Amino acid sequence: MPGTVLPPFPDDVPTVPLLIIDYSLIKEGDAREVDRLWQAATELGFWYLKNHGAEEEADAMFDTGEATLNLPLEEKMKFEPGEHFLSFGYKHAGWMVTDKAGNPDSVEFMSVSKDDILARPAVANRTYPTPVEASMDSSVRPFTIKAIEITGVLFSVLGDRLGLPKGMLASVHRPDERSGSEARFLKVAGSLNCQAPPEKASLGAHTDYGSFSFLHNRLGGLQVFPLGSDGWKYVKPIPGHAICNIGDAMNIFSGGILRSNVHRIVPPPKEQAAYDRWSLVYFTRPGDSVPLEPLSEQSAMIADAVAKAPAGKYNTGTTAKGWFARRVRNVQLTKFTGPQTWQAGKGTEHQEF
Ligand SMILES: O=C(O)CCC(=O)C(=O)O
Ligand SMILES: [Fe+2]
């Protein structure tokens, strides 16, 4: 709630020391900072981003998210996507499974399609609750435009380092091509968190479906499982710092060079658990029709990585839209028939936990 003083993140829980990347230096082309970004994207696939210039837009979006997800359940349920949309609209807590045993999640989301945000007043996919529609000009579109701009700069730098022709990554993420890109508000009610054990997943272990996630946290609860680690580690929220991560599509395009790391949400640690957990993310996903295959013909470095990987590992045989649809479909509680459904919804780096 605006004005609520949140308890600090505890200093006695295991955290992952993400690299802090300075966006203003990346924009200037600072060679050392570009090296650090490359290290973050290839080793863990998660990093903090400071000086990104979207701080005010993100704050305004938290207000929009609270106004939206604090609506009565009955009102929010009018915006459930139904069968024909991928994820745009409202997802109630308990709609998804969190693990192969079929335990339900406890996160609710409102996901707003980039195509709707950029098309308003026209409707590209659907409409959203009044607080979202009424804030399109004041928060939703300004935040989205900043997120698209920041993502474009990071992709340009990562594309150069991958040996891709200039504009290659931009061409598979054109804002004017219909895609699964979306701004998402998330809430986990404190009343659910404080009854749950600290290890109970609110959102199960997953990799992100798309290319890149630009995430904003206030309370803890996000955890990452670094490769070779002895367990889950919290990502400590730092004011003004976004949390960025690579998703499956960039992992596939790069033949595995960029990492799409597994993460999950658990109740915020210790005293923080009693509070509602709000978060905000902009997901960049490739254009719907883009084949999800390594960009080997455009980069010798990617071709070499693919040649060294097990045969066919990165050949999905589907488009970005097909990949997204498969993953969303198989995580639904009502479609769950056993561990095989969970397995059928997995992404590039799924491991057993
Ligand atoms: O709320 C968070 O911190 C993470 C959300 C997330 O991982 C997702 O929506 O994919
Ligand atoms: Fe995620």
Side-chain angles (χ1 to χ4, degrees), residues 268-324:
K270 309 225 167 152
E271 272 177 85
Q272 291 195 338
Y275 292 78
D276 291 343
R277 180 181 190 276
W278 298 95
S279 52
L280 164 70
V281 58
Y282 185 79
F283 291 110
T284 300
R285 295 171 175 143
D288 279 352
S289 65
V290 172
L292 228 47
E293 305 291 340
L295 300 171
S296 304
E297 282 175 20
Q298 282 82 20
S299 153
M301 184 196 262
I302 296 176
D304 194 44
V306 171
K308 290 186 180 127
K313 179 163 184 209
Y314 298 104
N315 298 115
T316 68
T318 188
T319 57
K321 185 174 184 177
W323 179 266
F324 187 19

Side-chain angles (χ1 to χ4, degrees), residues 130-142:
T130 305
V132 174
E133 295 291 350
S135 309
M136 282 288 181
D137 291 346
S138 58
S139 69
V140 184
R141 193 176 317 102

